[in-house]
Amino acid sequence: MLRHRFPAMQMDIGFEVPAEGVTVLFGPSGSGKSTIINATAGLLRPDACRIEVGGTVLADTRAGLWLPPERRRVGLVFQDSRLFPHMSVATNLRFGMRRVAPGPIGFDEVVDLLGIGALLQRRPHTLSGGERQRVGIGRALLAQPHLLLMDEPLASLDAARKTEILPFLTRLKTALKLPIVYVTHALDEVMRLADSLVLIEAGQVVGYGPAPEVAARADMPLAQRDDAGAVLPCRVESHDPGRALTRLVDGGVAFLVPLLDLPVGAACRVRIPAREVILAGRPPEAISLHNIVPGTVRRIVADPGRRSVIVEIALPGGGLLSRVTPDAIARLALSPGAPVLALIKSTSIEVLGG
Ligand code: ADP
Ligand code: MG
């Protein structure tokens, strides 16, 4: 819980997510995301708040409790990594280890996870933006935090650097059992990294929960975007090199996608854009399509701005979104509870790592 009055905005925030995995705070610039990060780190003291992480209360203004930043065991990574320019990468990293007892996160492990072994003797100004951010993350981790806070860590990077650093973040979140709160206003980062998702607008929480659920809710704000779509955690079930296809499973549903370079059993996630999902009442014949997924209509929400509707489809293991015209709804006589087939081209399914 966090309440704070800025001259231009009243913040009134409350959410609860599992203290594991990555919680993404997603919202437009000025919505209050950094305020939440700064209050959690102890850098900003709101009018009222209660912040608890994994059973430890960091702040409870009603009880008069306010832990100073250095006692919160919280690691911070900002957009600008703020490395010491006169120190080598190795010395910058070791700076994070001062004043803390050795913990579960080792120097070599961090160097390896972040792929910065070849940079150790370099000075920060000789590094690319993406490399600097990786070193900044390493320094934060070596202080043995119990929680890692990342405030738009990729916002200053160009698309290529971002693509380079995202796989490291995905590895980090699986290798280290460390809860991460990650702020962004970029949807691609949400789709790749979020386990839990908190949507923030103008100082208020407008939706929160497990990321696949929040992304696939037709009545939550993400569904009203052009790039709306479902994200589903999957596992590689089998490869068919002869047909150049890979079969992924998610709970009870299977998806065929173009052949992947991942081992059988590997976890991945898929993103299925709403505008790529066609609806049908019965299976079409003689069609190039690989994925005909049976589901049930859960919600139909109008999007008058685009003269379309968003249909939320319940699947055994999650949900899908489909953007269609009101005419399609009428022709198929769709309403909540109706069975429906979701038709998805294998090439429309985006496979994201881990
Ligand atoms: P975000 O990180 O989502 O971009 P912030 O948490 O930085 O948003 O800020 C939320 C809002 O709080 C801003 O729109 C601004 O109106 C207000 N705000 C933030 N910091 C200050 C400040 N130091 N003084 C006055 N208003 C502030
Ligand atoms: Mg901010």
Side-chain angles (χ1 to χ4, degrees):
M1 177 280 288
L2 182 158
R3 270 197 291 278
H4 193 68
R5 177 176 289 280
F6 286 114
M9 188 179 75
Q10 170 76 40
M11 284 195 64
D12 194 346
I13 294 286
F15 63 88
E16 200 169 314
V17 292
E20 54 191 49
V22 178
T23 296
V24 171
L25 308 182
F26 180 74
S29 183
S31 56
K33 306 178 300 293
S34 295
T35 302
I36 299 171
I37 292 289
N38 293 338
T40 308
L43 304 176
L44 172 142
R45 199 166 182 147
D47 299 336
C49 73
R50 184 181 149 77
I51 302 171
E52 184 179 327
V53 180
T56 307
V57 181
L58 302 182
D60 186 343
T61 43
R62 201 146 35 131
L65 176 80
W66 181 259
L67 288 186
E70 65 277 9
R71 286 191 44 216
R72 295 193 177 202
R73 301 301 300 263
V74 157
L76 262 176
V77 178
F78 298 101
Q79 183 173 336
D80 160 21
S81 63
R82 302 176 200 180
L83 300 173
F84 297 109
H86 56 288
M87 293 181 187
S88 69
V89 164
T91 316
N92 265 286
L93 288 172
R94 292 197 196 283
F95 188 85
M97 302 166 79
R98 292 172 324 145
R99 293 192 300 181
V100 290
I105 306 174
F107 187 87
D108 294 342
E109 186 189 10
V110 162
V111 167
D112 181 48
L113 270 174
L114 294 165
I116 50 181
L119 312 176
L120 290 175
Q121 303 315 319
R122 306 247 302 262
R123 290 288 173 90
H125 72 270
T126 71
L127 305 178
S128 73
E131 289 169 339
R132 271 202 296 276
Q133 278 310 70
R134 272 142 66 193
V135 174
I137 294 166
R139 183 177 62 179
L141 289 174
L142 288 169
Q144 309 298 332
H146 296 164
L147 170 70
L148 184 62
L149 302 174
M150 304 179 88
D151 193 351
E152 310 222 20
L154 309 187
S156 64
L157 304 180
D158 59 37
R161 293 289 154 271
K162 221 169 111 161
T163 312
E164 169 196 307
I165 198 168
L166 272 167
F168 289 105
L169 296 179
T170 310
R171 276 170 72 189
L172 203 73
K173 88 182 191 124
T174 30
L176 305 174
K177 298 278 169 263
L178 180 71
I180 299 175
V181 178
Y182 187 103
V183 167
T184 184
H185 60 258
L187 194 67
D188 59 329
E189 294 169 40
V190 175
M191 293 307 176
R192 272 174 190 274
L193 297 172
D195 298 305
S196 301
L197 183 52
V198 183
L199 306 177
I200 299 172
E201 277 174 20
Q204 316 288 317
V205 173
V206 291
Y208 72 94
E213 265 174 42
V214 176
R217 284 280 296 266
D219 57 344
M220 283 193 185
L222 290 185
Q224 299 285 332
R225 296 170 54 111
D226 265 336
D227 53 2
V231 59
L232 300 160
C234 283
R235 196 170 47 73
V236 176
E237 190 184 65
S238 58
H239 298 296
D240 185 344
R243 294 170 70 202
L245 293 171
T246 291
R247 188 178 155 92
L248 303 174
V249 288
D250 154 51
V253 185
F255 296 102
L256 285 175
V257 298
L259 192 62
L260 293 177
D261 204 6
L262 288 172
V264 168
C268 60
R269 36 174 82 185
V270 296
R271 199 181 102 75
I272 304 178
R275 60 168 179 265
E276 302 282 351
V277 177
I278 296 164
L279 301 181
R282 57 191 157 76
E285 284 166 37
I287 184 168
S288 67
L289 192 80
H290 280 119
N291 296 289
I292 300 180
V293 182
T296 310
V297 174
R298 195 189 277 141
R299 291 188 182 83
I300 300 175
V301 178
D303 186 353
R306 293 185 186 83
R307 307 249 159 115
S308 64
V309 293
I310 289 283
V311 182
E312 181 180 331
I313 302 153
L315 303 180
L320 282 176
L321 292 179
S322 170
R323 181 187 295 285
V324 294
T325 56
D327 176 66
I329 300 293
R331 281 190 295 122
L332 295 176
L334 293 180
S335 59
V340 70
L341 297 173
L343 314 189
I344 311 157
K345 287 170 64 175
S346 54
T347 50
S348 296
I349 300 179
E350 242 179 280
V351 179
L352 314 170

